[in-house]
Amino acid sequence: MAGKKSYVIIPGAGGVPWDWHLVEDELRRHGHDVVAVDLPNDDPSAGLAEYADAVVRAAAGRTDIVLVAHSLGGFTAPLVCERIPVARMVLVAAMLPAPGESPGDWWQNTGHSAVMAERERLDGGPPDESVLFHHDVPPELAAESVARGRAQADGPFGRPWPLPHWPQVPTSFLLCRDDRLFPAAWLRGLVRERLGIEPEEMDGGHCAFLSRPRELAERVMRLSGA
């Protein structure tokens, strides 16, 4: 092993630390320090700044930090890089903001709304959330995830992303080929456009941390040099 890392995991919208418990187990099995952040994502008064505050508190005292950010966590991770030393970001099926763009505007600006509208037209209606998020997750885990999940508050969605550019921190992007929320063909183009890198790809849907935790952990470790 290249050395002990501190993995600080930023869940997506409505996500809770439990979502990542299987990945945490794998990372700890390899000797790493791990914490999944408990975000104030059910608090309507909390925005991206408060989410970043929670991550900074969780990372306190840790060294050789790798931020692992999922979905909406892609808006928060770069803010954390401006406040504490971060060795690397690994973005997993993450939203990629542009300067001044709010999470609420991101869907239209990136073409995601158009992609999903076309899918709804072809499918004859909007997809069920279980199809979007848990189609490849074992049923018992999917049920527990739904039971433990939070209703994501609107706090961050109307506030612009405050950075003038992405931080100068080594960054990798892990794309899930079977993601039904962020279709792979569309997301590949967004990663190239906004980060200027080629994404790493693996099988699995948007919640690969529950459907493929061992593979996800192994890829995160490899991308972070562990």
Side-chain angles (χ1 to χ4, degrees):
M1 188 170 64
K4 179 179 177 180
K5 306 286 186 184
S6 294
Y7 290 97
V8 178
I9 299 171
I10 307 174
V16 296
W18 176 90
D19 294 335
W20 288 83
H21 72 284
L22 298 175
V23 174
E24 288 183 280
D25 289 346
E26 289 294 325
L27 295 172
R28 291 193 180 106
R29 189 168 63 85
H30 285 83
H32 300 294
D33 176 42
V34 194
V35 59
V37 182
D38 190 6
L39 299 172
N41 47 17
D42 56 351
D43 180 354
S45 69
L48 295 174
E50 287 74 24
Y51 289 18
D53 288 343
V55 178
V56 169
R57 286 194 298 270
R62 291 178 159 91
T63 58
D64 204 4
I65 292 171
V66 178
L67 291 181
V68 179
H70 178 248
S71 203
L72 179 61
F75 268 81
T76 300
L79 306 183
V80 176
C81 294
E82 296 292 293
R83 296 177 54 183
I84 62 173
V86 172
R88 176 171 287 274
M89 283 190 289
V90 179
L91 307 171
V92 181
M95 298 168 72
L96 301 175
E101 182 176 66
S102 72
D105 290 337
W106 181 89
W107 312 91
Q108 186 72 34
N109 292 351
T110 60
H112 182 273
S113 296
V115 168
M116 297 305 282
E118 176 63 11
R119 173 174 287 180
E120 287 186 22
R121 186 185 70 80
L122 294 174
D123 293 346
D128 186 273
E129 284 199 2
S130 65
V131 173
L132 282 179
F133 296 104
H134 295 126
H135 64 93
D136 63 338
V137 175
E140 65 280 6
L141 283 176
E144 187 162 3
S145 177
V146 171
R148 288 175 176 267
R150 295 173 181 151
Q152 171 65 47
D154 291 336
F157 287 92
R159 308 182 194 186
W161 192 62
L163 299 186
H165 50 72
W166 275 76
Q168 297 299 305
V169 171
T171 300
S172 300
F173 194 99
L174 185 54
L175 179 152
C176 299
R177 297 188 192 97
D178 307 309
D179 193 334
R180 297 184 181 180
L181 178 65
F182 293 162
W186 163 81
L187 189 54
R188 286 187 195 102
L190 186 67
V191 174
R192 292 165 183 157
E193 173 191 339
R194 294 203 166 182
L195 292 182
I197 62 175
E198 287 295 317
E200 170 101 359
E201 299 193 15
M202 63 175 281
D203 292 336
H206 198 67
C207 295
F209 43 82
L210 292 176
S211 63
R212 294 176 175 267
R214 177 169 293 181
E215 181 181 357
L216 178 55
E218 289 173 349
R219 287 179 179 266
V220 166
M221 286 187 289
R222 182 168 57 76
L223 289 171
S224 59

